Amino acid sequence: MSPTKTAASPARTVASRSKTVAVASAEASIPRTSDRRGKSAALAEPLVAAVPLAVEILPSLSADGPSFEVTRGMPLQGQVYDVLRDWIVTMVMAPGQALSEKDLALRLSVSRTPVREALIRLSDDGFVDIFPQHGTFVSYILVEKLDEAGFIRKAVEGAIVRELAGALDETGEAALRAIIAEQRRAARAKDYDQLERADHRLHATMAALAGKPAVWRIVRQAIYHIERALRLRTSESSNWTATMREHEAIVEAVIAHKGDEAAAIIARHIDRNLDEVRKVREAHPQLFGVPRRGGGSRPMAVK
């Protein structure tokens, strides 16, 4: 079965039901009656709502909900993968939530084929659990994925800034300073969504200037798992002041050709992010999980 061809003109939009997501308690388990034929829970509902928890979504998700627009000339499966991954990372679809291939296809106005392919890929990347005969679910936030992401970031980003410190030219310096200025403007305006975009752009730009853009894409994939946890903070509680100071210090060290110093600041920056993740885990343990024997994830035992 091939994906349905998209029309040339109208954009497809998808709206979520609210700006908050109710997520399941740690007692959630795989229901034996759910399957992929429309019997799973509705897309905006938790797998189990015994102990509902309101989770604020960052301003990037407006009250009108996230949107999906098909881009002509690009593989549809990749576009569907990107939007579903982003919905998982931003908690539009919460840990433990049942997913229906049919419902997702309807929400996105695409055929079931690209949705099925995207879900398989999301499963490979640790965002979705697929249990044959039982259903498909958003994976719990795996602690081991967070530890791996921190390790990858320290190793790779430390190497990037060391290499960049010895090769940065005036054009590159100007590009980094421009991003720092963008962050300052966003902070003054309390535009946390723009701050986050500038954050990603800074790290991506340093990798590109070091001649390692493909390496950053690998690191970015790991960071998505950290972002799932950090999205549980409110925007105001996010320590953006410390983040900006660290970014400024990293850039100044690179410009001054102090690669080891920049790498040390990167490591402290990542450690602080992981400390914030640990605080989120303590506050919302029911959203975190461990690998399930035979594949997939299960919620951690909550004391």
Side-chain angles (χ1 to χ4, degrees), residues 118-190:
L119 289 174
I120 292 172
R121 185 176 162 195
L122 286 165
S123 176
D124 291 340
D125 292 340
F127 295 108
V128 164
D129 296 333
I130 299 176
F131 299 99
Q133 310 305 319
H134 296 304
T136 300
F137 304 85
V138 177
S139 68
Y140 289 90
I141 302 172
L142 291 176
V143 175
E144 67 175 24
K145 289 287 186 183
L146 303 175
D147 293 338
E148 289 174 359
F151 180 86
I152 291 171
R153 289 197 66 187
K154 285 182 182 180
V156 176
E157 293 191 66
I160 284 173
V161 294
R162 285 190 180 94
E163 185 160 335
L164 181 58
L168 188 67
D169 58 19
E170 292 183 358
T171 301
E173 177 181 340
L176 296 180
R177 291 194 184 281
I179 297 173
I180 294 296
E182 179 185 352
Q183 285 195 322
R184 290 172 180 161
R185 290 192 297 271
R188 286 195 295 269
K190 295 185 177 181

Side-chain angles (χ1 to χ4, degrees), residues 69-273:
E69 180 177 345
V70 173
T71 302
R72 288 174 57 88
M74 296 182 64
L76 185 56
Q77 182 270 345
Q79 296 181 61
V80 172
Y81 170 90
D82 286 344
V83 73
L84 294 182
R85 180 204 58 213
D86 289 347
W87 285 358
I88 291 170
V89 170
T90 57
M91 292 291 170
V92 170
M93 300 192 301
Q97 182 172 326
L99 302 176
S100 163
E101 186 181 291
K102 176 182 176 182
D103 291 346
L104 289 170
L106 290 172
R107 289 283 299 274
L108 297 170
S109 298
V110 298
S111 73
R112 293 175 64 168
T113 298
V115 173
R116 184 181 309 115
E117 293 171 348
L119 289 174
I120 292 172
R121 185 176 162 195
L122 286 165
S123 176
D124 291 340
D125 292 340
F127 295 108
V128 164
D129 296 333
I130 299 176
F131 299 99
Q133 310 305 319
H134 296 304
T136 300
F137 304 85
V138 177
S139 68
Y140 289 90
I141 302 172
L142 291 176
V143 175
E144 67 175 24
K145 289 287 186 183
L146 303 175
D147 293 338
E148 289 174 359
F151 180 86
I152 291 171
R153 289 197 66 187
K154 285 182 182 180
V156 176
E157 293 191 66
I160 284 173
V161 294
R162 285 190 180 94
E163 185 160 335
L164 181 58
L168 188 67
D169 58 19
E170 292 183 358
T171 301
E173 177 181 340
L176 296 180
R177 291 194 184 281
I179 297 173
I180 294 296
E182 179 185 352
Q183 285 195 322
R184 290 172 180 161
R185 290 192 297 271
R188 286 195 295 269
K190 295 185 177 181
D191 187 342
Y192 301 106
D193 187 46
Q194 183 61 25
L195 265 171
E196 187 172 30
R197 287 196 296 269
D199 183 335
H200 296 163
R201 192 177 303 115
L202 177 64
H203 290 279
T205 299
M206 288 192 293
L209 292 173
K212 304 291 188 296
V215 172
W216 169 251
R217 288 193 288 273
I218 296 172
V219 175
R220 185 73 186 92
Q221 189 69 17
I223 292 175
Y224 283 123
H225 292 284
I226 294 178
E227 288 184 357
R228 289 186 72 191
L230 294 182
R231 280 281 176 162
L232 294 169
R233 309 168 301 179
T234 61
S235 304
E236 291 75 11
S237 70
S238 304
N239 197 345
W240 279 110
T241 299
T243 297
M244 288 177 57
R245 287 175 179 169
E246 288 162 354
H247 284 172
E248 291 172 1
I250 292 166
V251 168
E252 291 303 324
V254 168
I255 290 173
H257 307 295
K258 298 178 179 179
D260 289 341
E261 180 178 328
I265 300 170
I266 283 274
R268 292 197 297 271
H269 175 64
I270 294 167
D271 283 339
R272 187 177 56 77
N273 276 343

